[in-house]
Amino acid sequence: VIATGWSRCNTMELQITPIDSSLDLLAYGGMALHDRKAPSNSACLRLLEDAGELERFKECHALMSRLWDQRNRAWENVRFIRQYFSSFALDSSRTDKTIFYKRVKYLRDHVRNVEQIAQDMLLIFKGLMPDIWIKRYGGERVMPLVEELNEIEDRIQKQK
């Protein structure tokens, strides 16, 4: 029994994580159903190793973890930058924008990292699913951040 909760062909929902980066959870579910008890993490990884999937899983999982981290850091900076915009609008005495501009730089860096990870996905997931789904997955994560960064930079230019 395999239930991934997502299908490329019949849902309009976004894919959360490619299954290849979550094979440990797939093994966990299968082993729990088979053995009627929760397996240990090491038992799940042994199963993947025995199936010849462990190294590829580790690569996929590490890449998706980096993507998750960089996206979260980018969105955190978006939130801070937008709060700074509000702070500047509410209090004209706030003239030192040093930290604000650091946040903008961090956002640019994180967006660049997310773009690179989306490209790396094409290599790591090659052959595991059609390229179109890898590109869409990456694009669905990159485009909103790029749009947000562009809007923030446009706003900064208009305020100068």
Side-chain angles (χ1 to χ4, degrees), residues 1-159:
V1 174
I2 297 176
T4 64
W6 186 85
S7 169
R8 291 175 196 89
C9 301
N10 66 9
T11 184
M12 297 305 290
E13 184 62 67
L14 295 174
Q15 184 182 10
I16 303 301
T17 306
I19 193 70
D20 304 282
S21 62
S22 299
L23 289 179
D24 57 336
L25 299 176
L26 184 65
Y28 183 94
M31 293 170 75
L33 289 172
H34 181 269
D35 300 340
R36 297 182 181 180
K37 64 179 183 175
S40 67
N41 185 52
S42 61
C44 295
L45 296 179
R46 270 195 312 277
L47 179 68
L48 294 180
E49 186 172 32
D50 292 346
E53 296 289 339
L54 183 60
E55 291 310 311
R56 186 87 175 247
F57 157 72
K58 285 181 176 180
E59 288 178 349
C60 293
H61 183 76
L63 188 65
M64 291 298 94
S65 294
R66 282 185 32 231
L67 178 61
W68 180 263
D69 176 67
Q70 290 301 303
R71 285 178 57 222
N72 283 341
R73 289 171 186 251
W75 285 115
E76 177 183 48
N77 279 289
V78 167
R79 186 180 73 244
F80 275 112
I81 291 165
R82 294 221 172 261
Q83 289 170 337
Y84 276 113
F85 281 139
S86 297
S87 177
F88 299 148
L90 294 168
D91 183 355
S92 61
S93 69
R94 289 186 161 273
T95 57
D96 185 352
K97 296 183 179 177
T98 305
I99 302 298
F100 169 80
Y101 284 112
K102 281 186 181 181
R103 289 285 183 179
V104 173
K105 180 204 176 301
Y106 297 155
L107 176 58
R108 283 188 200 111
D109 293 344
H110 293 307
V111 170
R112 221 178 356 261
N113 291 342
V114 169
E115 289 173 323
Q116 182 58 56
I117 292 167
Q119 289 300 307
D120 294 345
M121 285 181 66
L122 290 168
L123 298 172
I124 298 294
F125 287 92
K126 188 81 172 162
L128 297 174
M129 66 179 97
D131 284 354
I132 188 172
W133 300 116
I134 302 167
K135 289 176 183 175
R136 284 189 186 170
Y137 185 92
E140 291 163 356
R141 275 85 190 147
V142 170
M143 286 177 65
L145 287 170
V146 169
E147 290 170 1
E148 195 70 36
L149 177 60
N150 289 341
E151 188 176 312
I152 287 168
E153 289 183 329
D154 286 347
R155 188 168 173 181
I156 291 169
Q157 289 304 313
K158 288 177 185 173
Q159 291 181 354

